[in-house]
């Protein structure tokens, strides 16, 4: 053991059971340098304490403001950076959380929570090797701490699993799901199954109504029909372009919804408020159908079912959570495995790769999950040419479509998430002008009213998961337009009750510990 590790171990003997929780966010590190420093420290402590209370009541933005004021007065406390990192993690600002984790470690290398915060941010960004390095360091510093050892062991398992997956992957012509899983056609339906059934292998309106009632009663669709829906949606999505053009006829309504995130009962409420999908009531759901909420299986089969029933009047865009990294960490993979099999979880990964990346409505409204680009002069034809059958890359057009966020100030900046970029009103205006668009609609961010209009009306955010993760207290919203009047109309709605299954119930245990 190095001398620095011995020092850290000695300093941490009074706090052997380090937990990533709110329990010790009140810890402080006093300073006795000067009267002025003591005064600044005392004032900073007051801001920190206010931040802690706001963190407990889920007011994360206000908590961040308090911690920032504390840091401005007294930048020598690693605790302030670590607490602010936790608030950033709760807001899914993983890039900012990583910066604060780094600052906490740099400010006080003996404060081990800084390493946990940095590890949490790295894991959220899919950077598991970097996270493992932090867990390994803490475990060495605390050889008798079972919690530290468990975190290191769990992260090590993830890194080894990823390495194994890469090792067995080979380049070969990809087969369709129907070709790969022909034996699933022979799955027997048990006599005691009383749930919905496909009619001659096809989705019907009766099937969809029965399916939704079946799900409301917390029952499962038979695996034979689940596999069939996945095979059919795979065939359909492969034939779609990366940018889908939608024509909404004059006088007819069209609805755009944002993130659903596994909140099935809120999805049902949207249909209750706005009507079931039909050829006269078309919808576009703009990505992040799964993860976080613990009814993601119910959401995705409902959405895929309506897509098969109304292929030209029901549309689905890929979000950043339709990816293997997000699914393995935030619950969807675990949920599919628990409710069906790990094989089906792998099938979803293949299907998600073929989801379109964005939609253009009446040649005037571009709808994508994340946002705009780090490069000027991107055209709709550039988007059409994206080869999307892959996991989202860490940069480039596809990455930015799924991850970017708007900012209030001009120009471009680094993403608070650590992936994609932030783009200002001038970027949006130039993009819309170059592509003859009226405005863009995107999702990807929680908003208090479920929507937000920015960039002089040219960048609209819509988010359709109210009281996100049962903690945020936000409303959900959806947007409606008509073919001859593209002015957006907004409908906000509250969360509805759901069965007593908490969000993230199927998430990777390490993510629950860390965040």
């Amino acid at each position: 053991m190095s001398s620095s590790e011995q020092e850290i171990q000695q300093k941490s003997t009074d706090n052997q059971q380090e937990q990533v929780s709110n329990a010790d966010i009140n810890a402080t590190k006093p300073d006795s340098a000067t009267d002025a420093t003591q005064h600044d420290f005392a004032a900073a402590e007051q801001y920190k304490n206010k931040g802690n209370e706001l963190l407990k009541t889920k007011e994360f933005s206000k908590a961040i403001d308090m911690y920032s004021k504390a840091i401005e007065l007294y930048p020598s406390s690693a605790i302030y950076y670590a607490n602010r990192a936790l608030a950033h993690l709760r807001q899914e600002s993983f890039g900012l959380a990583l910066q604060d984790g780094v600052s906490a470690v740099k400010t006080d290398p003996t404060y081990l929570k800084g390493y946990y915060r940095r590890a949490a941010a790295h894991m959220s960004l899919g950077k598991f090797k970097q996270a493992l390095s932090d867990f390994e360091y803490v475990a060495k510093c605390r050889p008798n701490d079972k919690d530290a050892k468990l975190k290191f062991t769990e992260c090590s398992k993830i890194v080894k699993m990823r390495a194994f997956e890469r090792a067995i992957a080979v380049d070969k012509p990809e087969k369709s799901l129907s070709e790969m899983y022909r034996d699933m056609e022979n799955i027997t339906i048990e006599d005691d199954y009383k749930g919905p059934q496909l009619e001659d292998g096809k989705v019907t309106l009766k099937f969809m109504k029965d399916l939704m009632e079946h799900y409301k009663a917390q029952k499962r669709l038979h695996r034979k029909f689940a596999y069939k829906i996945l095979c059919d949606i795979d065939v359909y999505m492969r034939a779609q372009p990366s940018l889908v053009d939608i024509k909404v006829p004059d006088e007819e309504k069209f609805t755009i919804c944002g993130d659903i995130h596994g909140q099935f009962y809120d999805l049902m409420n949207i249909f209750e408020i706005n009507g079931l999908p039909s050829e006269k009531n078309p919808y576009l759901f703009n990505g992040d159908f799964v993860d976080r909420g613990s009814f993601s299986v119910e959401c995705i089969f409902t959405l895929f079912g309506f897509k098969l029933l109304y292929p030209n009047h029901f549309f689905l865009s890929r979000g950043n959570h339709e990816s293997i990294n997000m699914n393995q960490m935030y619950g969807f993979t675990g949920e599919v495995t628990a409710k069906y099999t790990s094989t089906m979880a792998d099938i979803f990964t293949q299907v998600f790769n073929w989801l379109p990346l964005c939609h253009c409505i009446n040649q005037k409204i571009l709808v994508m999950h994340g946002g705009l680009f780090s490069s000027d002069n991107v055209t709709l034809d550039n988007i059409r040419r994206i080869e999307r059958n892959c996991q989202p890359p860490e940069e480039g057009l596809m990455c930015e479509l799924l991850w970017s966020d708007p900012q209030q100030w001009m120009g471009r900046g680094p993403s608070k998430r650590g992936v994609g970029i932030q783009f200002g009103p001038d970027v949006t205006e130039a993009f819309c002008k170059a592509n003859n668009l009226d405005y863009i609609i995107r999702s990807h961010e929680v908003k208090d009213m479920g929507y937000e209009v920015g960039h002089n009306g040219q960048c609209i955010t819509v988010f359709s998961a109210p009281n996100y993760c049962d903690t945020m207290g936000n409303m959900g919203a959806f947007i409606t337009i008509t073919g001859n009047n593209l002015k957006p109309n907004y409908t906000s709605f509250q969360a509805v009750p759901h069965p007593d299954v908490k969000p993230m119930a199927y998430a990777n245990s390490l993510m629950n510990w860390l965040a």
Side-chain angles (χ1 to χ4, degrees):
M1 182 182 297
S2 69
S3 60
S4 63
E5 289 173 347
Q6 289 175 336
E7 179 185 5
I8 292 173
Q9 186 177 347
Q10 179 63 39
K11 288 187 177 184
S12 63
T13 53
D14 294 331
N15 188 23
Q16 281 294 306
Q17 295 301 315
E18 178 77 22
Q19 299 290 326
V20 181
S21 68
N22 292 340
D24 61 1
I25 60 176
N26 295 307
T28 60
K29 188 174 182 179
D31 189 290
S32 57
T34 66
D35 289 342
T37 301
Q38 286 283 16
H39 181 270
D40 288 345
F41 175 74
E45 281 291 284
Q46 291 182 353
Y47 282 124
K48 182 208 71 176
N49 292 336
K50 290 178 182 178
N52 293 349
E53 292 303 314
L54 291 164
L55 192 63
K56 292 174 183 176
T57 57
K58 320 296 185 195
E59 298 177 83
F60 302 123
S61 294
K62 293 179 180 178
I64 289 168
D65 289 341
M66 292 297 104
Y67 295 136
S68 297
K69 290 179 179 178
I71 291 168
E72 183 177 350
L73 285 170
Y74 191 80
S76 300
S77 173
I79 295 159
Y80 302 163
Y81 292 107
N83 289 5
R84 190 170 69 176
L86 179 59
H88 283 312
L89 285 168
R90 295 288 171 83
Q91 286 198 317
E92 302 185 10
S93 297
F94 305 131
L96 296 179
L98 179 59
Q99 291 177 20
D100 278 342
V102 170
S103 296
V105 170
K106 183 178 180 180
T107 301
D108 183 1
T110 71
Y111 183 59
L112 297 187
K113 180 153 289 188
Y115 295 90
Y116 278 145
R117 295 289 185 258
R118 188 168 69 178
H122 273 138
M123 289 195 67
S124 299
L125 293 166
K127 300 179 184 296
F128 301 106
K129 284 188 176 180
Q130 291 91 325
L132 181 63
S133 177
D134 282 333
F135 288 130
E136 182 178 22
Y137 187 71
V138 175
K140 285 182 178 180
C141 294
R142 292 185 170 176
N144 298 321
D145 188 334
K146 294 181 180 179
D147 185 65
K149 184 177 181 180
L150 183 61
K151 289 178 172 63
F152 169 69
T153 301
E154 287 298 313
C155 189
S156 181
K157 288 179 182 177
I158 295 172
V159 171
K160 289 177 181 177
M161 179 184 68
R162 293 299 175 87
F164 176 74
E165 289 172 348
R166 288 193 298 270
I168 64 173
V170 295
D171 293 328
K172 59 183 179 181
E174 185 177 296
K175 296 181 180 179
S176 70
L177 294 181
S178 297
E179 293 172 318
M180 294 170 64
Y181 300 103
R182 293 185 188 278
D183 56 329
M184 292 178 182
E185 298 177 1
N186 299 320
I187 294 175
T188 301
I189 301 174
E190 296 79 6
D191 292 339
D192 61 352
Y193 176 72
K194 305 301 180 184
Q197 301 195 28
L198 298 174
E199 299 178 21
D200 296 324
K202 301 295 183 182
V203 172
T204 63
L205 180 57
K206 180 182 183 303
F207 171 84
M208 290 306 303
K209 289 181 176 180
D210 290 346
L211 178 65
M212 289 183 288
E213 292 303 316
H214 196 67
Y215 280 155
K216 289 176 186 177
Q218 300 183 70
K219 298 178 181 178
R220 295 178 191 168
L221 176 66
H222 195 280
R223 64 190 184 281
K224 181 182 181 73
F225 305 124
Y227 282 122
K228 175 61 174 171
I229 287 172
L230 286 173
C231 288
D232 288 352
I233 208 77
D234 176 64
V235 170
Y236 182 87
M237 290 301 180
R238 285 169 180 265
Q240 299 305 296
S242 292
L243 190 162
V244 175
D245 290 291
I246 300 172
K247 173 61 178 175
V248 181
D250 290 351
E251 306 296 337
E252 292 197 10
K253 183 179 78 170
F254 189 87
T255 302
I256 302 105
C257 297
D259 304 42
I260 297 297
H261 275 301
Q263 297 185 197
F264 173 74
Y265 295 86
D266 294 308
L267 172 61
M268 293 297 96
N269 191 38
I270 292 175
F271 294 156
E272 183 70 24
I273 296 168
N274 195 54
L276 285 178
S278 70
E279 292 181 352
K280 292 296 183 180
N281 193 27
Y283 280 83
L284 164 58
F285 282 83
N286 195 29
D288 281 13
F289 319 120
V290 301
D291 283 338
R292 300 285 190 177
S294 295
F295 303 95
S296 293
V297 165
E298 290 80 357
C299 285
I300 196 63
F301 278 119
T302 299
L303 296 174
F304 280 174
F306 275 120
K307 180 60 182 175
L308 293 173
L309 181 60
Y310 303 118
N312 298 317
H313 298 86
F314 194 87
F315 302 92
L316 300 171
S317 279
R318 189 176 189 175
N320 63 299
H321 274 267
E322 278 71 58
S323 66
I324 191 169
N325 275 355
M326 295 290 111
N327 295 164
Q328 289 182 344
M329 297 307 301
Y330 291 99
F332 185 59
T333 296
E335 183 181 342
V336 175
T337 302
K339 294 179 178 179
Y340 290 99
T341 65
S342 59
T343 297
M344 184 177 287
D346 294 338
I347 290 174
F348 271 109
T349 297
Q350 179 169 324
V351 171
F352 288 163
N353 282 352
W354 285 105
L355 289 173
L357 301 178
C358 54
H359 294 75
C360 190
I361 302 172
N362 286 10
Q363 300 181 319
K364 289 296 182 182
I365 307 169
L366 188 67
V367 186
M368 78 289 285
H369 180 75
L372 296 180
F373 311 102
S374 55
S375 302
D376 291 324
N377 304 318
V378 174
T379 68
L380 300 187
D381 282 340
N382 294 143
I383 299 172
R384 289 187 177 95
R385 289 194 290 267
I386 295 175
E387 295 289 340
R388 70 184 187 278
N389 179 28
C390 62
Q391 288 302 296
E394 294 187 3
E395 60 184 9
L397 298 186
M398 180 174 173
C399 167
E400 291 160 358
L401 280 168
L402 300 181
W403 279 97
S404 291
D405 294 295
Q407 62 185 20
Q408 295 180 359
W409 50 94
M410 296 294 185
R412 296 179 174 92
S415 171
K416 62 188 177 184
R417 301 175 188 269
V419 187
I421 64 155
Q422 293 184 185
F423 58 97
D426 55 328
V427 176
T428 302
E429 181 181 9
F431 178 81
C432 288
K433 183 177 181 180
N435 290 283
N436 197 27
L437 299 169
D438 289 350
Y439 57 91
I440 66 171
I441 296 176
R442 40 91 59 183
S443 301
H444 196 37
E445 288 185 286
V446 179
K447 298 299 178 184
D448 288 343
M449 294 300 295
Y451 71 94
E452 183 177 83
V453 181
H455 294 187
N456 303 310
Q458 288 192 298
C459 180
I460 299 169
T461 298
V462 59
F463 191 87
S464 302
N467 194 25
Y468 180 46
C469 291
D470 285 359
T471 62
M472 298 300 289
N474 62 291
M475 299 183 78
F478 55 82
I479 298 171
T480 55
I481 59 171
T482 57
N484 60 345
N485 182 1
L486 299 181
K487 178 182 177 181
N489 300 288
Y490 308 100
T491 301
S492 297
F493 56 92
Q494 298 278 6
V496 297
H498 63 75
D500 189 20
V501 183
K502 294 181 179 180
M504 300 280 283
Y506 301 95
N508 180 280
S509 58
L510 198 51
M511 285 308 299
N512 279 322
W513 287 328
L514 292 170

